[in-house]
Coordinates of all heavy atoms in Angstrom, one line a residue:
M1 N 44.3 -89.3 -25.4 CA 44.1 -87.9 -25.5 C 44.3 -87.2 -24.1 O 44.1 -87.9 -23.1 CB 42.7 -87.6 -26.0 CG 42.5 -88.1 -27.4 SD 43.4 -87.3 -28.6 CE 42.5 -85.8 -28.8
G2 N 44.6 -86.0 -24.1 CA 44.6 -85.3 -22.8 C 46.1 -85.2 -22.3 O 47.0 -85.7 -22.9
Y3 N 46.2 -84.6 -21.2 CA 47.5 -84.4 -20.6 C 47.5 -84.9 -19.2 O 48.0 -84.2 -18.3 CB 47.8 -82.9 -20.6 CG 47.9 -82.4 -22.0 CD1 46.7 -81.8 -22.6 CD2 49.0 -82.4 -22.8 CE1 46.8 -81.3 -23.9 CE2 49.1 -82.0 -24.1 CZ 47.9 -81.4 -24.6 OH 48.0 -80.9 -25.9
A4 N 47.0 -86.1 -19.0 CA 46.9 -86.6 -17.7 C 48.3 -86.9 -17.1 O 48.5 -86.8 -15.9 CB 46.1 -87.9 -17.7
V5 N 49.3 -87.3 -17.9 CA 50.6 -87.6 -17.4 C 51.5 -86.4 -17.5 O 51.8 -86.0 -18.6 CB 51.2 -88.8 -18.2 CG1 52.6 -89.1 -17.7 CG2 50.3 -90.0 -18.1
L6 N 51.9 -85.9 -16.5 CA 52.8 -84.7 -16.5 C 54.2 -85.2 -16.5 O 54.6 -86.1 -15.7 CB 52.5 -83.9 -15.2 CG 51.2 -83.1 -15.2 CD1 51.1 -82.4 -13.9 CD2 51.1 -82.2 -16.3
K7 N 55.0 -84.7 -17.4 CA 56.4 -85.0 -17.4 C 57.2 -84.0 -16.7 O 56.8 -82.9 -16.5 CB 56.8 -85.1 -18.9 CG 56.1 -86.1 -19.7 CD 56.6 -86.2 -21.1 CE 55.8 -87.2 -21.9 NZ 56.0 -88.6 -21.4
S8 N 58.4 -84.4 -16.3 CA 59.2 -83.5 -15.5 C 59.8 -82.4 -16.4 O 60.2 -81.4 -16.0 CB 60.3 -84.3 -14.8 OG 61.1 -85.0 -15.8
T9 N 59.8 -82.7 -17.7 CA 60.3 -81.7 -18.6 C 59.2 -81.4 -19.6 O 58.5 -82.3 -20.1 CB 61.6 -82.1 -19.4 OG1 61.3 -83.3 -20.1 CG2 62.7 -82.3 -18.4
A10 N 59.1 -80.1 -20.0 CA 58.1 -79.8 -21.0 C 58.6 -80.1 -22.4 O 59.7 -79.8 -22.7 CB 57.8 -78.3 -20.9
P11 N 57.8 -80.7 -23.2 CA 58.2 -81.0 -24.6 C 58.2 -79.8 -25.4 O 57.5 -78.8 -25.1 CB 57.1 -82.0 -25.1 CG 55.9 -81.7 -24.3 CD 56.4 -81.2 -22.9
F12 N 59.1 -79.8 -26.4 CA 59.1 -78.7 -27.3 C 58.5 -79.1 -28.7 O 58.6 -80.3 -29.0 CB 60.6 -78.2 -27.6 CG 61.2 -77.6 -26.4 CD1 62.0 -78.4 -25.5 CD2 61.1 -76.2 -26.2 CE1 62.6 -77.8 -24.4 CE2 61.7 -75.6 -25.1 CZ 62.5 -76.4 -24.2
T13 N 58.0 -78.1 -29.4 CA 57.6 -78.4 -30.7 C 58.4 -77.5 -31.6 O 58.3 -76.3 -31.5 CB 56.1 -78.1 -30.9 OG1 55.3 -79.0 -30.1 CG2 55.7 -78.3 -32.4
L14 N 59.2 -78.1 -32.5 CA 60.0 -77.3 -33.4 C 59.2 -77.1 -34.7 O 58.5 -78.0 -35.2 CB 61.2 -78.1 -33.8 CG 62.1 -78.5 -32.6 CD1 63.4 -79.2 -33.2 CD2 62.5 -77.3 -31.8
H15 N 59.3 -75.9 -35.2 CA 58.7 -75.6 -36.5 C 59.8 -75.4 -37.5 O 60.7 -74.6 -37.3 CB 57.9 -74.3 -36.5 CG 56.6 -74.4 -35.6 ND1 55.4 -74.5 -36.2 CD2 56.4 -74.5 -34.3 CE1 54.5 -74.6 -35.2 NE2 55.1 -74.6 -34.1
L16 N 59.8 -76.3 -38.5 CA 60.9 -76.3 -39.5 C 60.4 -76.1 -40.9 O 59.2 -76.4 -41.2 CB 61.5 -77.7 -39.4 CG 62.1 -78.1 -38.1 CD1 62.2 -79.7 -38.0 CD2 63.5 -77.5 -37.8
R17 N 61.2 -75.5 -41.7 CA 60.9 -75.4 -43.1 C 61.9 -76.0 -44.0 O 63.1 -75.8 -43.8 CB 60.7 -73.9 -43.5 CG 60.3 -73.7 -44.9 CD 60.4 -72.2 -45.3 NE 59.4 -71.4 -44.7 CZ 59.6 -70.2 -44.1 NH1 60.8 -69.7 -44.1 NH2 58.6 -69.6 -43.6
C18 N 61.5 -76.8 -44.9 CA 62.4 -77.5 -45.7 C 63.1 -76.5 -46.7 O 62.4 -75.7 -47.3 CB 61.6 -78.5 -46.6 SG 62.7 -79.4 -47.8
D19 N 64.4 -76.6 -46.8 CA 65.1 -75.6 -47.6 C 64.9 -75.9 -49.1 O 65.3 -75.1 -49.9 CB 66.6 -75.7 -47.2 CG 67.3 -74.4 -47.6 OD1 66.7 -73.3 -47.4 OD2 68.4 -74.4 -48.1
N20 N 64.4 -77.1 -49.4 CA 64.2 -77.5 -50.8 C 62.9 -77.1 -51.3 O 62.7 -76.4 -52.3 CB 64.5 -78.9 -50.9 CG 64.5 -79.4 -52.4 OD1 65.1 -78.8 -53.3 ND2 63.8 -80.5 -52.7
C21 N 61.8 -77.6 -50.7 CA 60.5 -77.4 -51.2 C 59.7 -76.4 -50.4 O 58.5 -76.1 -50.7 CB 59.7 -78.7 -51.2 SG 59.3 -79.4 -49.6
M22 N 60.3 -75.9 -49.3 CA 59.7 -74.8 -48.5 C 58.5 -75.2 -47.8 O 57.7 -74.4 -47.3 CB 59.4 -73.6 -49.4 CG 60.6 -73.0 -50.2 SD 62.0 -72.6 -49.1 CE 61.4 -71.1 -48.4
R23 N 58.2 -76.5 -47.7 CA 57.1 -77.0 -46.8 C 57.5 -76.8 -45.4 O 58.6 -77.1 -45.0 CB 56.8 -78.4 -47.1 CG 56.0 -78.7 -48.4 CD 55.6 -80.1 -48.4 NE 54.8 -80.4 -49.6 CZ 55.3 -80.7 -50.8 NH1 56.6 -80.8 -51.0 NH2 54.5 -81.0 -51.8
E24 N 56.5 -76.4 -44.6 CA 56.7 -76.3 -43.2 C 56.2 -77.5 -42.5 O 55.2 -78.1 -42.9 CB 56.0 -75.1 -42.6 CG 56.5 -73.8 -43.2 CD 55.9 -72.6 -42.6 OE1 55.1 -72.7 -41.7 OE2 56.1 -71.4 -43.1
S25 N 56.9 -77.9 -41.5 CA 56.5 -79.1 -40.7 C 56.9 -78.8 -39.2 O 57.6 -77.9 -38.9 CB 57.3 -80.3 -41.2 OG 58.6 -80.2 -41.1
T26 N 56.3 -79.7 -38.4 CA 56.6 -79.6 -37.0 C 57.2 -80.9 -36.5 O 56.9 -81.9 -37.1 CB 55.3 -79.2 -36.2 OG1 54.4 -80.3 -36.3 CG2 54.7 -77.9 -36.6
R27 N 57.9 -80.8 -35.4 CA 58.5 -82.0 -34.8 C 58.4 -81.8 -33.3 O 58.9 -80.8 -32.8 CB 59.9 -82.2 -35.2 CG 60.6 -83.3 -34.5 CD 62.0 -83.5 -34.8 NE 62.2 -84.0 -36.2 CZ 63.3 -84.5 -36.7 NH1 64.4 -84.5 -35.9 NH2 63.4 -84.9 -37.9
D28 N 57.8 -82.8 -32.7 CA 57.7 -82.8 -31.2 C 59.0 -83.5 -30.7 O 59.3 -84.6 -31.2 CB 56.5 -83.5 -30.8 CG 55.2 -82.8 -31.2 OD1 55.3 -81.5 -31.2 OD2 54.2 -83.4 -31.5
I29 N 59.6 -82.9 -29.8 CA 60.8 -83.5 -29.2 C 60.6 -83.5 -27.7 O 60.0 -82.6 -27.1 CB 62.1 -82.8 -29.5 CG1 62.0 -81.3 -29.1 CG2 62.4 -82.9 -31.0 CD1 63.4 -80.7 -29.3
E30 N 61.1 -84.5 -27.0 CA 61.1 -84.5 -25.6 C 62.6 -84.7 -25.2 O 63.3 -85.5 -25.7 CB 60.3 -85.7 -25.1 CG 58.8 -85.5 -25.3 CD 58.0 -86.6 -24.7 OE1 58.5 -87.4 -23.9 OE2 56.8 -86.8 -25.1
L31 N 63.0 -83.9 -24.2 CA 64.3 -83.9 -23.8 C 64.5 -84.9 -22.6 O 63.6 -85.1 -21.9 CB 64.7 -82.5 -23.3 CG 64.7 -81.4 -24.4 CD1 64.8 -80.1 -23.8 CD2 65.7 -81.7 -25.5
P32 N 65.7 -85.4 -22.5 CA 65.9 -86.3 -21.4 C 65.9 -85.5 -20.1 O 66.1 -84.3 -20.1 CB 67.3 -86.9 -21.7 CG 67.9 -85.8 -22.6 CD 66.8 -85.3 -23.4
V33 N 65.6 -86.2 -19.0 CA 65.6 -85.6 -17.7 C 67.0 -85.4 -17.2 O 67.8 -86.3 -17.3 CB 64.8 -86.4 -16.7 CG1 64.8 -85.8 -15.3 CG2 63.3 -86.6 -17.2
G34 N 67.3 -84.2 -16.7 CA 68.6 -84.0 -16.2 C 68.7 -82.5 -15.7 O 67.8 -81.7 -15.8
D35 N 69.9 -82.2 -15.1 CA 70.0 -80.9 -14.5 C 70.4 -79.9 -15.5 O 70.1 -78.7 -15.3 CB 71.1 -81.0 -13.5 CG 70.7 -81.8 -12.3 OD1 69.5 -81.8 -12.0 OD2 71.6 -82.3 -11.6
D36 N 71.0 -80.3 -16.6 CA 71.5 -79.2 -17.5 C 70.8 -79.2 -18.9 O 71.3 -78.8 -19.9 CB 73.0 -79.5 -17.8 CG 73.3 -80.9 -18.3 OD1 72.3 -81.7 -18.3 OD2 74.4 -81.2 -18.7
I37 N 69.6 -79.7 -18.9 CA 68.8 -79.7 -20.1 C 68.2 -78.3 -20.3 O 67.9 -77.6 -19.3 CB 67.7 -80.8 -20.1 CG1 66.7 -80.5 -18.9 CG2 68.2 -82.2 -20.1 CD1 65.4 -81.1 -19.0
P38 N 67.9 -77.9 -21.5 CA 67.3 -76.6 -21.7 C 65.9 -76.6 -21.2 O 65.1 -77.6 -21.4 CB 67.4 -76.4 -23.2 CG 67.6 -77.8 -23.8 CD 68.3 -78.5 -22.7
R39 N 65.5 -75.5 -20.6 CA 64.1 -75.4 -20.1 C 63.2 -74.5 -20.9 O 62.0 -74.5 -20.7 CB 64.1 -74.9 -18.7 CG 64.7 -75.9 -17.7 CD 64.6 -75.3 -16.3 NE 64.9 -76.3 -15.3 CZ 66.1 -76.7 -14.9 NH1 67.2 -76.1 -15.5 NH2 66.3 -77.6 -14.0
D40 N 63.8 -73.7 -21.8 CA 63.0 -72.9 -22.7 C 63.6 -72.8 -24.0 O 64.7 -73.4 -24.3 CB 62.7 -71.5 -22.0 CG 64.0 -70.8 -21.8 OD1 65.0 -70.9 -22.5 OD2 64.1 -70.0 -20.8
A41 N 62.9 -72.1 -24.9 CA 63.4 -72.1 -26.3 C 64.8 -71.5 -26.5 O 65.6 -72.0 -27.2 CB 62.4 -71.3 -27.1
D42 N 65.1 -70.4 -25.7 CA 66.4 -69.8 -25.8 C 67.5 -70.8 -25.4 O 68.5 -70.9 -26.1 CB 66.5 -68.6 -24.9 CG 65.7 -67.4 -25.5 OD1 65.4 -67.5 -26.8 OD2 65.3 -66.5 -24.8
E43 N 67.2 -71.5 -24.3 CA 68.2 -72.5 -23.9 C 68.4 -73.6 -24.9 O 69.4 -74.2 -25.1 CB 67.9 -73.0 -22.5 CG 68.1 -71.9 -21.4 CD 67.8 -72.5 -20.0 OE1 67.8 -73.7 -19.9 OE2 67.7 -71.7 -19.1
L44 N 67.2 -74.0 -25.5 CA 67.3 -75.1 -26.4 C 68.1 -74.7 -27.6 O 68.9 -75.5 -28.2 CB 65.8 -75.4 -26.9 CG 65.7 -76.6 -27.9 CD1 66.1 -77.9 -27.2 CD2 64.3 -76.7 -28.4
I45 N 68.0 -73.5 -28.1 CA 68.8 -73.0 -29.3 C 70.2 -73.0 -28.9 O 71.1 -73.3 -29.7 CB 68.3 -71.6 -29.7 CG1 66.9 -71.7 -30.3 CG2 69.2 -71.0 -30.7 CD1 66.2 -70.4 -30.6
E46 N 70.5 -72.6 -27.7 CA 71.9 -72.5 -27.3 C 72.6 -73.8 -27.1 O 73.8 -73.9 -27.1 CB 72.1 -71.6 -26.1 CG 71.7 -70.1 -26.4 CD 71.7 -69.3 -25.1 OE1 71.9 -69.9 -24.0 OE2 71.4 -68.1 -25.2
S47 N 71.8 -74.8 -26.8 CA 72.3 -76.1 -26.5 C 72.8 -76.8 -27.7 O 72.5 -76.4 -28.9 CB 71.3 -76.9 -25.8 OG 70.3 -77.4 -26.7
A48 N 73.5 -77.9 -27.5 CA 74.0 -78.7 -28.7 C 72.9 -79.6 -29.2 O 73.1 -80.4 -30.1 CB 75.2 -79.4 -28.3
F49 N 71.8 -79.6 -28.5 CA 70.8 -80.7 -28.8 C 70.2 -80.6 -30.2 O 70.1 -81.6 -30.9 CB 69.6 -80.6 -27.8 CG 68.6 -81.6 -27.9 CD1 68.9 -82.9 -27.4 CD2 67.4 -81.4 -28.5 CE1 67.9 -83.9 -27.5 CE2 66.5 -82.4 -28.7 CZ 66.7 -83.7 -28.1
L50 N 70.0 -79.4 -30.6 CA 69.4 -79.2 -32.0 C 70.3 -79.7 -33.1 O 69.9 -80.2 -34.1 CB 69.0 -77.7 -32.2 CG 67.9 -77.2 -31.4 CD1 67.6 -75.7 -31.7 CD2 66.6 -78.0 -31.6
G51 N 71.6 -79.5 -32.8 CA 72.6 -79.9 -33.8 C 72.6 -81.4 -34.1 O 73.1 -81.9 -35.1
S52 N 72.1 -82.2 -33.1 CA 72.1 -83.6 -33.2 C 70.8 -84.1 -33.9 O 70.8 -85.3 -34.2 CB 72.2 -84.3 -31.9 OG 71.1 -84.0 -31.1
L53 N 69.9 -83.2 -34.2 CA 68.7 -83.7 -34.8 C 68.9 -83.8 -36.3 O 69.5 -83.0 -36.9 CB 67.5 -82.7 -34.6 CG 67.0 -82.6 -33.1 CD1 65.9 -81.5 -33.1 CD2 66.4 -84.0 -32.8
K54 N 68.3 -84.8 -36.8 CA 68.3 -85.1 -38.3 C 67.0 -84.6 -38.9 O 65.9 -85.0 -38.5 CB 68.6 -86.5 -38.6 CG 69.9 -87.1 -38.1 CD 71.0 -86.7 -39.1 CE 72.3 -87.4 -38.8 NZ 72.9 -87.0 -37.5
F55 N 67.1 -83.8 -39.9 CA 65.9 -83.3 -40.6 C 65.8 -84.2 -41.9 O 66.8 -84.5 -42.6 CB 66.1 -81.9 -41.0 CG 64.9 -81.3 -41.8 CD1 63.7 -81.0 -41.1 CD2 64.9 -81.2 -43.1 CE1 62.6 -80.5 -41.8 CE2 63.8 -80.8 -43.9 CZ 62.7 -80.4 -43.2
N56 N 64.5 -84.6 -42.2 CA 64.3 -85.3 -43.4 C 62.9 -85.0 -43.8 O 61.9 -85.4 -43.2 CB 64.4 -86.8 -43.1 CG 64.6 -87.6 -44.4 OD1 63.9 -87.3 -45.4 ND2 65.5 -88.5 -44.4
C57 N 62.8 -84.2 -44.9 CA 61.5 -83.8 -45.4 C 60.8 -85.0 -46.1 O 61.4 -85.6 -47.1 CB 61.7 -82.7 -46.4 SG 60.1 -82.1 -47.1
R58 N 59.6 -85.3 -45.7 CA 59.0 -86.5 -46.2 C 58.5 -86.3 -47.7 O 58.8 -87.2 -48.5 CB 57.8 -86.9 -45.4 CG 58.2 -87.4 -44.0 CD 57.1 -88.0 -43.2 NE 57.6 -88.3 -41.9 CZ 57.0 -89.2 -41.1 NH1 55.9 -89.8 -41.5 NH2 57.4 -89.5 -39.9
P59 N 57.9 -85.2 -48.0 CA 57.5 -85.1 -49.4 C 58.6 -85.1 -50.4 O 58.5 -85.7 -51.5 CB 56.7 -83.7 -49.4 CG 56.3 -83.5 -48.0 CD 57.5 -84.1 -47.2
C60 N 59.7 -84.4 -50.1 CA 60.7 -84.3 -51.2 C 62.1 -84.9 -50.8 O 63.0 -85.0 -51.6 CB 61.0 -82.8 -51.5 SG 62.0 -81.9 -50.3
G61 N 62.2 -85.4 -49.6 CA 63.4 -86.0 -49.2 C 64.6 -85.1 -48.9 O 65.7 -85.5 -48.7
G62 N 64.3 -83.8 -48.8 CA 65.3 -82.8 -48.5 C 65.8 -83.1 -47.1 O 65.1 -83.5 -46.2
V63 N 67.1 -82.7 -46.9 CA 67.7 -83.0 -45.6 C 68.1 -81.7 -44.9 O 68.7 -81.7 -43.8 CB 68.9 -83.9 -45.7 CG1 68.4 -85.3 -46.1 CG2 69.9 -83.4 -46.6
I64 N 67.9 -80.6 -45.5 CA 68.2 -79.3 -44.9 C 66.9 -78.6 -44.4 O 66.1 -78.3 -45.2 CB 68.9 -78.4 -45.9 CG1 70.2 -79.1 -46.4 CG2 69.2 -77.0 -45.3 CD1 70.9 -78.3 -47.5
G65 N 66.8 -78.5 -43.2 CA 65.6 -77.8 -42.6 C 66.0 -76.6 -41.8 O 67.1 -76.6 -41.1
R66 N 65.3 -75.6 -42.0 CA 65.5 -74.3 -41.2 C 64.6 -74.2 -40.1 O 63.3 -74.4 -40.3 CB 65.4 -73.1 -42.2 CG 66.4 -73.2 -43.3 CD 66.7 -71.8 -43.9 NE 67.6 -72.0 -45.0 CZ 69.0 -72.0 -44.9 NH1 69.5 -72.0 -43.7 NH2 69.7 -72.1 -46.0
L67 N 65.1 -73.9 -39.0 CA 64.3 -73.7 -37.8 C 63.6 -72.3 -37.9 O 64.3 -71.3 -38.0 CB 65.1 -73.8 -36.5 CG 64.4 -73.8 -35.2 CD1 63.5 -75.0 -35.1 CD2 65.4 -73.7 -34.1
I68 N 62.3 -72.3 -37.9 CA 61.6 -71.1 -38.0 C 60.8 -70.7 -36.7 O 60.3 -69.6 -36.5 CB 60.6 -71.1 -39.2 CG1 59.6 -72.2 -39.1 CG2 61.4 -71.1 -40.5 CD1 58.6 -72.2 -40.2
G69 N 60.7 -71.7 -35.8 CA 60.0 -71.3 -34.5 C 60.1 -72.5 -33.6 O 60.3 -73.7 -33.9
I70 N 59.9 -72.2 -32.3 CA 59.9 -73.2 -31.3 C 58.7 -72.9 -30.3 O 58.5 -71.7 -29.9 CB 61.2 -73.2 -30.4 CG1 62.3 -73.6 -31.3 CG2 61.0 -74.2 -29.3 CD1 63.7 -73.5 -30.6
E71 N 57.9 -73.9 -30.1 CA 56.9 -73.8 -29.0 C 57.2 -74.7 -27.9 O 57.9 -75.7 -28.1 CB 55.5 -74.2 -29.6 CG 54.9 -73.2 -30.6 CD 53.6 -73.8 -31.2 OE1 53.0 -74.6 -30.6 OE2 53.2 -73.3 -32.3
G72 N 56.6 -74.4 -26.8 CA 56.8 -75.3 -25.6 C 57.8 -74.8 -24.7 O 58.2 -73.6 -24.6
G73 N 58.3 -75.7 -23.9 CA 59.2 -75.3 -22.8 C 58.5 -74.9 -21.6 O 57.2 -74.9 -21.6
N74 N 59.2 -74.5 -20.7 CA 58.6 -74.1 -19.4 C 58.5 -72.6 -19.4 O 59.5 -71.9 -19.3 CB 59.4 -74.5 -18.2 CG 58.8 -74.2 -16.9 OD1 57.8 -73.5 -16.8 ND2 59.3 -74.8 -15.8
P75 N 57.3 -72.0 -19.5 CA 57.1 -70.5 -19.6 C 57.4 -69.9 -18.2 O 57.6 -68.6 -18.2 CB 55.7 -70.4 -20.0 CG 55.0 -71.6 -19.4 CD 56.0 -72.7 -19.6
Y76 N 57.5 -70.6 -17.2 CA 57.8 -70.0 -15.9 C 59.2 -70.1 -15.4 O 59.5 -69.8 -14.3 CB 56.9 -70.7 -14.8 CG 55.4 -70.6 -15.2 CD1 54.7 -71.7 -15.7 CD2 54.7 -69.3 -15.2 CE1 53.4 -71.6 -16.0 CE2 53.4 -69.3 -15.6 CZ 52.8 -70.4 -16.0 OH 51.4 -70.3 -16.4
G77 N 60.1 -70.6 -16.3 CA 61.5 -70.6 -16.0 C 61.7 -71.6 -14.8 O 61.3 -72.7 -14.9
Y78 N 62.4 -71.1 -13.9 CA 62.8 -72.0 -12.8 C 61.8 -71.9 -11.6 O 62.1 -72.0 -10.5 CB 64.2 -71.6 -12.3 CG 65.1 -71.6 -13.5 CD1 65.4 -70.5 -14.1 CD2 65.7 -72.8 -13.9 CE1 66.3 -70.5 -15.2 CE2 66.6 -72.9 -15.0 CZ 66.9 -71.7 -15.6 OH 67.7 -71.7 -16.7
Ligands
ZN101 ZN1 60.9 -80.7 -48.7

């Protein structure tokens, strides 16, 4: 518990809704360290990173998830 270990990149929490059963779920993602990684939600959306994520709804097995929100990132920018 706690946040004793600071990472060099802030993790994001994606809020997703299953297109089949409409259940909402969250997914925590951590980005690799690098110079060109997205630092906030806007950059994350614009990056190709989200396109590589696979969505899989556990209750119904749906594979189409809609992104409804993003938390996290670095609120202070650079
Ligand atoms: Zn579902």
Side-chain angles (χ1 to χ4, degrees):
M1 299 293 281
Y3 298 91
V5 179
L6 292 175
K7 297 181 183 299
S8 57
T9 57
F12 291 93
T13 298
L14 305 182
H15 291 254
L16 302 158
R17 181 188 289 136
C18 175
D19 204 40
N20 184 46
C21 69
M22 305 303 284
R23 282 187 177 87
E24 294 182 9
S25 60
T26 60
R27 173 182 291 190
D28 295 325
I29 57 171
E30 291 182 17
L31 298 171
V33 176
D35 290 333
D36 56 353
I37 59 157
R39 289 183 171 82
D40 57 33
D42 287 338
E43 290 185 14
L44 182 64
I45 290 171
E46 292 172 359
S47 76
F49 185 78
L50 291 180
S52 65
L53 288 177
K54 295 278 190 295
F55 178 82
N56 198 319
C57 179
R58 294 190 183 200
C60 80
V63 294
I64 301 174
R66 299 201 182 277
L67 186 65
I68 56 175
I70 297 176
E71 291 177 16
N74 185 349
Y76 304 108
Y78 306 96

